[in-house]
Amino acid sequence: MTDRYCVVGHPIGHSKSPQIHAAFATQTQQDIDYQAIEAPLEGFVTTMQAFFAQGGCGANVTVPFKQQAYDWADTLTERARRAGAVNTLVKQSDGSLLGDNTDGAGLVTDLHYHHVALRDKRIMVVGAGGAARGVLLPLLEQAPASLMMVNRTEQKAQQLAAAFGEAGPITRHAVDKPMAAPVDVIINATSASLHQSHPPVPHGAIGPATTVYDMVYQAGCTTSNQWAQRQGAGRCLDGLGMLVEQAAESFALWRGCRPQTERVREQLREALN
Ligand code: ATR
């Protein structure tokens, strides 16, 4: 019997996950069925219960259900616990559901793919919502020299820095406090590009050797990355590769084999532009 997987969200029509997982399945010669399911806003648990009762083997969870999936999973991986959110559910042999979060690993793998060094580097994470929280532990595990949190609402950056304090050298930096020297890597975990805006980056943080990574992707260059280029950023990357890598990580959890991502990246990029 074909093993069934899904991505659940609201809305879900735009999701590229079915296309990505279909490509992974073809490449690895796995017989899987992967569908997009739109759950009613109040109906995440009911929808998931029905899916798993009908033989579902695993699910990706996206906006706005990642916190509900976190609450609903029977057990959690450490990275899901620290993220406070679940983007991957895995049905275990005893029928229970394991909640994991592959977003941060997807980001780190994409940065490695692009040869962006993190070890001993000065990293700045801009944004303090769910997207930021999901990537902090995997970034700290890369042993950066420092990780500075910046956010428009500064109190939220302060709270996240405090929550991850024992996991690595994380501090809060005020938006209006200029930097003495540019940082090596800026992770833009805000949704600013989706509002045709740019992230609140302290003056002096961007220099010619700075890589700016927008976790959002858009056709062409994201709004935030266009702004970062104007500020003199050496290199700008968007989140399309992260999307593919978090999917590959989920696929590996479910199927026990890790697909190649290069061709899928190229296909998505062509379709986007
Ligand atoms: P997500 O779960 O995707 O991270 P979120 O919790 O709504 O979404 O967080 C969005 C982040 O983007 C927040 O850090 C938000 O800043 P505030 O905490 O001050 O709200 C940031 N953000 C959204 N739009 C922004 C904009 N136009 N300029 C700067 N920051 C923005």
Side-chain angles (χ1 to χ4, degrees):
M1 203 175 86
T2 304
D3 289 341
R4 291 181 58 216
Y5 298 87
C6 72
V7 57
V8 60
H10 185 115
I12 201 64
H14 65 282
S15 175
K16 299 188 189 308
S17 293
Q19 185 189 339
I20 295 172
H21 284 279
F24 289 164
T26 304
Q27 180 206 120
T28 58
Q29 300 181 314
Q30 304 266 317
D31 181 22
I32 70 162
D33 175 66
Y34 187 108
Q35 299 293 331
I37 297 178
E38 184 165 292
L41 283 175
E42 303 301 322
F44 169 73
V45 169
T46 321
T47 303
M48 285 289 89
Q49 279 169 336
F51 175 75
F52 284 107
Q54 288 158 20
C57 300
N60 283 134
V61 182
T62 187
V63 179
F65 299 128
K66 290 184 187 186
Q67 276 80 25
Q68 281 186 59
Y70 172 90
D71 292 333
W72 187 58
D74 296 306
T75 49
L76 296 168
T77 61
E78 169 67 6
R79 60 189 182 179
R81 199 179 63 72
R82 295 307 296 257
V86 158
N87 81 334
T88 307
L89 289 163
V90 189
K91 186 142 181 196
Q92 307 293 96
S93 51
D94 65 0
S96 67
L97 286 169
L98 173 69
D100 196 1
N101 192 312
T102 65
D103 285 332
L107 170 66
V108 168
T109 306
D110 193 38
L111 288 165
H112 288 158
Y113 178 91
H114 290 290
H115 305 290
V116 178
L118 300 171
R119 177 174 290 274
D120 297 329
K121 299 298 181 188
R122 295 166 73 232
I123 300 177
M124 177 175 281
V125 172
V126 188
R133 185 172 173 163
V135 300
L136 287 180
L137 185 65
L139 285 173
L140 287 168
E141 284 173 349
Q142 300 305 304
S146 60
L147 194 158
M148 283 157 271
M149 295 291 310
V150 176
N151 194 44
R152 181 176 63 181
T153 310
E154 307 220 352
Q155 189 194 2
K156 283 162 71 181
Q158 177 68 53
Q159 282 166 354
L160 271 190
F164 284 81
E166 88 283 10
I170 182 169
T171 54
R172 180 191 67 107
H173 192 94
V175 179
D176 59 3
K177 188 175 163 201
M179 302 287 298
V183 298
D184 298 301
V185 181
I186 294 178
I187 306 295
N188 175 11
T190 74
S191 47
S193 287
L194 302 178
H195 308 291
Q196 287 75 51
S197 186
H198 65 77
V201 176
H203 187 76
I206 297 178
T210 306
T211 297
V212 177
Y213 190 107
D214 191 349
M215 284 170 60
V216 167
Y217 59 86
Q218 291 169 327
C221 186
T222 72
T223 314
S224 294
N225 280 352
Q226 288 175 32
W227 172 83
Q229 279 172 354
R230 291 198 297 276
Q231 307 308 304
R235 195 173 181 206
C236 291
L237 300 167
D238 73 13
L240 196 68
M242 174 179 172
L243 174 77
V244 177
E245 293 300 342
Q246 63 79 30
E249 185 88 4
S250 295
F251 191 92
L253 280 169
W254 294 328
R255 309 301 300 178
C257 69
R258 202 165 212 297
Q260 302 284 318
T261 56
E262 182 130 11
R263 186 76 198 103
V264 183
R265 286 166 172 275
E266 289 167 3
Q267 284 166 350
L268 287 186
R269 185 67 69 189
E270 278 165 27
L272 187 66
N273 290 329

